[in-house]
Amino acid sequence: MAIKLYDSLTRELRELHPAQPAGVFTFYNCGPTVYAPAHIGNFRTFVVNDVLRRLLELEFGAANVKHVRNLTDVDDKTIKRARDEGRSLTEVTKRWTDKFHADCAALNCLPPHEEPRAADPKHLREQVNMIECLLDKGNAYRTADGSVYFKVSSFPGYGRLSRVKERELQPGAALKTLAADADEKEDGSDFALWKAWKPDDGPNKWPGPKGAAEGRPGWHIECSAMSKSILGATIDLHSGGVDLLFPHHENEIAQSECCNGTTFARHWYHSEHLLVDGKKMSKSLGNLYTLDDLATKGFSPMAVRYALLSGHPRKQLNFTLDSLHAAESALHTLRAYRATLPDAGVTHDVFAPVLAALQEDLNTPAALGALFTIVNRKDGQADTASFDRILLALGLVLAPNPRRISAPAEIQAIADRRWAAKLAKDFATADALRKELAAGGWSMLDRKDGFSLEPAKK
Ligand code: AMP
Ligand code: ZN
């Protein structure tokens, strides 16, 4: 059965297939800005995309899926953070990249196959090249200060994704209020491709496109340039949180399609926000929780993952601590259930309805519902092999409750990854991670239904 997923551009459920039959399916997911810890709102988007990645791998085979997620490591926020802390931009972004990776591991999110950084010299050159392409084709112009802007009126397709025209607004009018980087633009809707250096940018500047000043790329160009360099001019699936639909993704389409002269993404997927008391969880509202905040309240990262999957990804989800209590208890039930199962021997796949729910527009709450219907039936139709396959698709790891484990978060994260590798029968990775644990002074004791961590004997 094929995966059906809502496409934000055509506004309908469409089957996912690679452009070439039996070709590699290419998947680009906009990544984090690395200047602070990501909050669990951000992680709702990344966890949902992780289940999508796992589903794609089941559908097309792991070797036939290529997943790219970028790191935004140069923009106003990262530069400001470096300036405020008196550190280099690289120091700051490396620190928060490492933290992001540790949190992703704790949430059992598979690392993307490639994770390009906007400030990587190779990718900076690609961004400059793309801007020069847009200048040559008349889709961009330089301003007196040496910045470069995209000329929105030069791209008739602008607004197709976000329907700005259907909302009976001039694109310019709709965008004017959102455009903070306004000074010398010809039209309020135009957006920056290259930002000329300003004293606030400190040492962070690079050679610009021809005829432009030294400076740095605008945010939108990084995804257009890096997805092209790694995945090609047309990608099969592009995703992100719903706040990126406009203007970020609209701008990515404009840049890529004007430069490459071909469709940028064949399918667009946007997941909805995590809310707190009815408002989007965000740094600016100060209503956020990080994984560490929740760990100090005694909640495991796996409970957070479960809670984030308990709502339909295309509907807003209100976050509560009660949902984490419910998630811990659901994980406990699953763990106890697994211990009752025979290792193997059941011939038909009793968990097929769980997978079917995921294949129907990534309906994670329906999948969890179907899973619990089977668990509660206790009819002896399941075995651990089929149960573990479905846990793997959801990315759930049934380690014992980490509240009882005093290992530091980074050790716990390695242990979770090793357990996942073991369940996936990737023994080479599991062995390598066991060595990493030993180097950190911990040993991992495996049991049938999970593991525990103990300080390694000297
Ligand atoms: P950022 O680091 O701000 O670029 O955001 C990284 C990802 O998190 C983007 O895909 C955003 O759409 C997403 N995001 C931000 N806030 C939330 C939220 N409250 N709920 C779900 N996703 C979010
Ligand atoms: Zn992007």
Side-chain angles (χ1 to χ4, degrees):
M1 208 173 91
I3 304 170
K4 281 194 221 139
L5 193 70
Y6 186 79
D7 178 359
S8 322
L9 184 69
T10 59
R11 293 192 176 176
E12 60 190 7
L13 286 186
R14 289 178 54 225
E15 287 190 3
L16 291 174
H17 297 290
Q20 305 300 326
V24 169
F25 187 93
T26 53
F27 174 31
Y28 187 93
N29 174 209
C30 292
T33 310
V34 277
Y35 72 110
H39 55 72
I40 60 164
N42 301 131
F43 281 118
R44 179 180 194 202
T45 296
F46 297 127
V47 164
V48 163
N49 277 278
D50 182 61
V51 176
L52 184 50
R53 148 93 184 262
R54 289 164 183 271
L55 202 59
L56 291 168
E57 292 196 352
L58 280 176
E59 182 73 20
F60 303 120
N64 297 323
V65 175
K66 186 149 185 189
H67 172 206
V68 174
R69 188 180 63 211
N70 65 307
L71 293 166
T72 299
D73 63 350
V74 51
D75 77 330
D76 290 342
K77 291 182 217 155
T78 47
I79 290 178
K80 180 172 184 317
R81 178 55 58 102
R83 192 172 66 236
D84 290 350
E85 291 184 0
R87 292 175 207 269
S88 73
L89 184 63
T90 324
E91 247 181 300
V92 167
T93 57
K94 162 98 175 54
R95 171 175 176 209
W96 293 113
T97 300
D98 289 348
K99 176 62 180 154
F100 177 68
H101 287 162
D103 285 352
C104 282
L107 287 166
N108 198 31
C109 290
L110 296 167
H113 298 105
E114 290 201 37
E115 197 176 39
R117 300 185 295 111
D120 179 319
K122 172 177 183 284
H123 295 308
L124 274 165
R125 263 194 311 280
E126 290 160 1
Q127 292 167 79
V128 166
N129 288 344
M130 192 173 243
I131 297 171
E132 290 181 345
C133 166
L134 293 167
L135 282 165
D136 288 345
K137 293 193 167 189
N139 298 106
Y141 58 91
R142 302 174 192 84
T143 51
D145 71 342
S147 297
V148 182
Y149 284 89
F150 186 90
K151 191 177 179 63
V152 165
S153 63
S154 74
F155 179 51
Y158 196 87
R160 266 183 71 215
L161 179 67
S162 56
R163 311 286 206 279
V164 272
K165 285 176 189 159
E166 268 178 35
R167 285 187 233 148
E168 291 183 307
L169 292 167
Q170 290 300 316
L175 292 163
K176 255 174 198 130
T177 48
L178 288 150
D181 48 348
D183 339 38
E184 302 179 65
K185 298 190 285 185
E186 290 175 4
D187 186 278
S189 59
D190 295 349
F191 58 89
L193 296 170
W194 186 260
K195 296 182 167 193
W197 181 84
K198 297 188 298 303
D200 268 358
D201 295 335
N204 305 303
K205 58 176 186 223
W206 294 271
K210 59 191 174 195
E214 280 191 318
R216 62 186 161 99
W219 169 39
H220 314 295
I221 195 73
E222 71 183 74
C223 291
S224 285
M226 301 195 298
S227 65
K228 180 183 181 184
S229 117
I230 301 170
L231 297 174
T234 302
I235 48 193
D236 292 318
L237 174 62
H238 191 127
S239 68
V242 68
D243 55 317
L244 300 189
L245 193 145
F246 181 85
H248 183 54
H249 289 160
E250 199 74 77
N251 294 354
E252 285 184 18
I253 294 174
Q255 298 162 154
S256 296
E257 299 200 349
C258 288
C259 177
N260 304 331
T262 181
T263 304
F264 175 45
R266 298 175 55 242
H267 201 118
W268 284 92
Y269 181 68
H270 293 95
S271 46
E272 263 291 349
H273 284 146
L274 188 67
L275 310 183
V276 182
D277 296 330
K279 296 202 178 70
K280 177 187 170 191
M281 183 178 286
S282 70
K283 224 171 149 36
S284 53
L285 290 177
N287 60 354
L288 58 83
Y289 287 96
T290 63
L291 278 192
D292 290 351
D293 296 336
L294 295 170
T296 59
K297 291 185 189 295
F299 295 110
S300 65
M302 220 16 76
V304 176
R305 181 175 178 108
Y306 189 100
L308 292 175
L309 292 176
S310 67
H312 194 293
R314 286 199 304 107
K315 296 202 176 102
Q316 295 180 332
L317 177 67
N318 202 45
F319 173 73
T320 59
L321 292 180
D322 273 352
S323 69
L324 290 183
H325 285 293
E328 292 283 14
S329 132
L331 291 171
H332 179 79
T333 304
L334 293 178
R335 201 175 298 131
Y337 171 74
R338 189 178 185 281
T340 68
L341 297 178
D343 282 344
V346 176
T347 44
H348 78 285
D349 186 5
V350 65
F351 296 105
V354 184
L355 205 57
L358 294 177
Q359 286 170 320
E360 187 70 23
D361 199 25
L362 207 64
N363 193 337
T364 52
L368 293 174
L371 180 60
F372 269 84
T373 303
I374 299 156
V375 166
N376 293 332
R377 231 172 24 220
K378 293 194 184 67
D379 60 4
Q381 291 294 302
D383 57 27
T384 51
S386 57
F387 186 57
D388 288 349
R389 260 198 312 279
I390 212 69
L391 292 182
L392 199 64
L394 290 161
L396 294 175
V397 178
L398 302 181
N401 192 334
R403 269 182 287 191
R404 278 179 271 122
I405 296 171
S406 55
E410 62 274 23
I411 295 293
Q412 179 67 46
I414 299 172
D416 284 342
R417 274 166 58 208
R418 184 180 163 272
W419 184 252
K422 196 182 141 174
L423 289 184
K425 303 205 185 317
D426 179 359
F427 297 114
T429 306
D431 284 346
L433 291 169
R434 181 184 278 291
K435 284 190 189 123
E436 257 187 75
L437 287 171
W442 289 82
S443 64
M444 184 162 166
L445 309 178
D446 293 0
R447 290 190 315 275
K448 188 179 170 199
D449 62 337
F451 65 86
S452 57
L453 282 164
E454 284 186 2
K457 294 192 186 72
K458 291 262 155 49

